[in-house]
Amino acid sequence: MKKLISALIFIAFGLNGLSHAQSKPQLDLPKIKLSAGMHLIDTQVASTPDQRATGLMFRQEMPQGEGRLFVFEEATPQCFWMKNTLLPLTAAFITDDGTIVNLANMKPQTTDSHCSAKPVRYVLEMNLGWFEKKCLKAGSKLGGPPFSKQ
């Protein structure tokens, strides 16, 4: 009986640790600089399925001028939601050459889908209103390492 109780306690603490690990924001992703006209963006790159799935969940703040770039293997319609995301964000859906296809303002902690207007490989999330303040909209171009020159 003692072994059974010890095993249950071990499992309970193990699951609690797993749950706690999944509720932490990702802060250790690779970083690159992107440009939007004269504006520079410090960008964390989420390129693996796990990194993309976690996204900006559980982050309580993000400095202005910082964002998260989601990189997909191929251009497909992309949809995002805000489950467990505490910050209001704007998502820019971006083509291979850095052109913004469309923008979507997203409310925190919702499961509403926000989708690209056409297939894209990149999605850049910034604080809500950042694109508007910088006069960036559909058709604007971003520059930086991921975007091919055309």
Side-chain angles (χ1 to χ4, degrees):
M1 184 69 166
K2 285 184 180 179
K3 287 184 180 183
L4 176 60
I5 291 171
S6 296
L8 290 174
I9 290 171
F10 176 76
I11 290 170
F13 280 109
L15 290 176
N16 185 38
L18 178 62
S19 172
H20 184 68
Q22 292 173 344
S23 65
K24 291 182 180 179
Q26 294 175 327
L27 299 174
D28 58 346
L29 297 176
K31 294 183 179 183
I32 59 170
K33 289 221 185 266
L34 299 179
S35 62
M38 62 185 242
H39 308 287
L40 291 179
I41 306 166
D42 291 320
T43 310
Q44 294 179 322
V45 180
S47 58
T48 69
D50 285 343
Q51 291 169 345
R52 292 190 302 257
T54 302
L56 288 168
M57 288 183 190
F58 309 110
R59 288 248 339 230
Q60 295 187 13
E61 61 183 21
M62 185 167 63
Q64 291 297 318
E66 185 176 305
R68 174 78 48 97
L69 183 69
F70 297 82
V71 179
F72 297 89
E73 289 76 22
E74 58 186 64
T76 59
Q78 301 297 337
C79 292
F80 278 57
W81 64 348
M82 297 285 285
K83 183 177 181 182
N84 297 322
T85 304
L86 309 174
L87 306 169
L89 300 171
T90 301
F93 298 94
I94 306 166
T95 61
D96 285 353
D97 71 350
T99 302
I100 297 173
V101 171
N102 62 298
L103 298 168
N105 291 332
M106 304 184 298
K107 293 181 182 178
Q109 301 192 59
T110 61
T111 56
D112 302 336
S113 287
H114 305 278
C115 301
S116 59
K118 67 181 202 177
V120 296
R121 282 191 58 216
Y122 304 100
V123 180
L124 176 62
E125 288 182 339
M126 299 290 291
N127 285 308
L128 181 69
W130 187 89
F131 291 98
E132 185 177 1
K133 287 177 191 168
K134 307 299 184 200
C135 298
L136 299 168
K137 56 189 177 197
S140 297
K141 274 199 146 180
L142 302 181
F147 309 122
S148 58
K149 303 292 181 199
Q150 300 199 2

